[in-house]
């Protein structure tokens, strides 16, 4: 499961579609509708929030909005609630955003090289609207493989 901290605007069609599915799975986990993935590290930041269900809904609405802007036909009815009018954002470290940038660049090199300039033209990529950036290393919940 990859719940990107970077803005979904950087994702290619496969990445955005996968994010949509994985965020819907995260919603099911948080709402107790599935038993799998309950201890997945990427869910920690949502589970640590004041209202995990509300935060994953907000996350999904941003992904859904990006899909609409591209003309995709994701089903917004799969999101369990409307977006909140106001919600405190969740911190994400600059190191995490840079880690995700490198990770996505590797994926884009194989799947959609035309999207690479969107990321290479920025230092720290724009974050998903649910988050705000703080200085720091890669998040402690991130599983870093040695490639």
């Amino acid at each position: 499961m990859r719940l990107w901290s970077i803005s979904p605007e950087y994702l290619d069609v496969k990445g955005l579609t996968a994010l949509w599915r994985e965020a819907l799975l995260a919603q099911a986990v948080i709402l107790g509708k599935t038993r799998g993935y309950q201890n997945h590290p990427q869910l920690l930041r949502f589970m640590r929030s004041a209202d995990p269900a509300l935060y994953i809904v907000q996350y999904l609405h941003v992904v859904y909005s990006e899909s609409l802007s591209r003309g995709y036909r994701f089903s917004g009815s799969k999101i369990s609630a409307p977006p909140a009018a106001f919600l405190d954002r969740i911190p994400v470290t600059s190191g995490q955003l840079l880690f995700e940038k490198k990770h996505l660049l590797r994926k884009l090199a194989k799947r959609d090289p035309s999207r690479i300039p969107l990321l290479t033209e920025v230092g720290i990529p724009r974050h998903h609207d649910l988050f705000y950036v703080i200085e720091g290393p890669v998040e402690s919940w991130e599983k870093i493989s040695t490639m």
Side-chain angles (χ1 to χ4, degrees):
M1 180 183 296
R2 166 70 51 195
L3 298 173
W4 295 94
S5 307
I6 61 174
S7 172
E9 72 192 80
Y10 298 114
L11 301 174
D12 60 321
V13 64
K14 286 183 181 180
L16 188 64
T17 303
L19 176 59
W20 175 247
R21 286 192 316 264
E22 291 168 3
L24 287 172
L25 173 60
Q27 176 182 250
V29 171
I30 290 169
L31 295 177
K33 294 183 177 182
T34 186
R35 297 177 77 123
Y37 294 96
Q38 291 177 349
N39 297 313
H40 197 284
Q42 293 228 356
L43 291 178
L44 284 176
R45 57 186 158 180
F46 295 96
M47 300 310 276
R48 291 176 182 157
S49 72
D51 187 339
L54 183 60
Y55 276 82
I56 195 64
V57 160
Q58 202 74 1
Y59 185 92
L60 275 161
H61 277 288
V62 171
V63 176
Y64 178 66
S65 208
E66 177 64 22
S67 77
L68 292 178
S69 75
R70 296 189 195 187
Y72 302 158
R73 298 176 70 171
F74 291 7
S75 177
S77 65
K78 293 183 178 189
I79 304 174
S80 67
F86 177 78
L87 196 62
D88 289 333
R89 295 182 299 153
I90 298 172
V92 64
T93 63
S94 55
Q96 180 65 28
L97 294 172
L98 291 171
F99 171 81
E100 290 184 15
K101 175 183 175 178
K102 289 177 188 173
H103 184 62
L104 182 56
L105 282 169
R106 285 190 301 271
K107 289 181 173 291
L108 293 175
K110 295 176 186 173
R111 296 191 313 223
D112 190 352
S114 69
R115 295 194 71 80
I116 290 174
L118 293 173
L119 277 171
T120 56
E121 293 173 358
V122 297
I124 296 175
R126 204 170 87 67
H127 51 82
H128 183 289
D129 290 344
L130 183 61
F131 305 113
Y132 70 93
V133 183
I134 60 172
E135 287 297 316
V138 175
E139 298 284 354
S140 61
W141 45 258
E142 184 70 69
K143 290 188 176 185
I144 302 174
S145 64
T146 55
M147 293 195 224

